Amino acid sequence: MRSKLAGLFGMVAVALVVGLGAAAQQNAVADRPAGHQVVAENQGPTVIGATVAG
């Protein structure tokens, strides 16, 4: 009986997490202005050099 109850609580927790995640994603999409587009410029690879002290 305990394992069934634990399983039920687990399913309810998963349903809540999925529901809250979907709601947060919908709000994030709603906050973005319509028609906004980001265009990246291809300027080749970025090389980050390590500096050696001493």
Side-chain angles (χ1 to χ4, degrees):
M1 182 68 182
R2 240 179 223 187
S3 63
K4 288 183 180 180
L5 188 60
L8 180 64
F9 282 141
M11 287 188 286
V12 169
V14 168
L16 284 173
V17 167
V18 169
L20 291 174
Q25 182 67 25
Q26 186 64 29
N27 287 340
V29 170
D31 290 340
R32 191 173 303 145
H36 183 78
Q37 183 178 6
V38 176
V39 179
E41 295 179 11
N42 186 4
Q43 297 180 352
T46 301
V47 178
I48 301 174
T51 58
V52 179

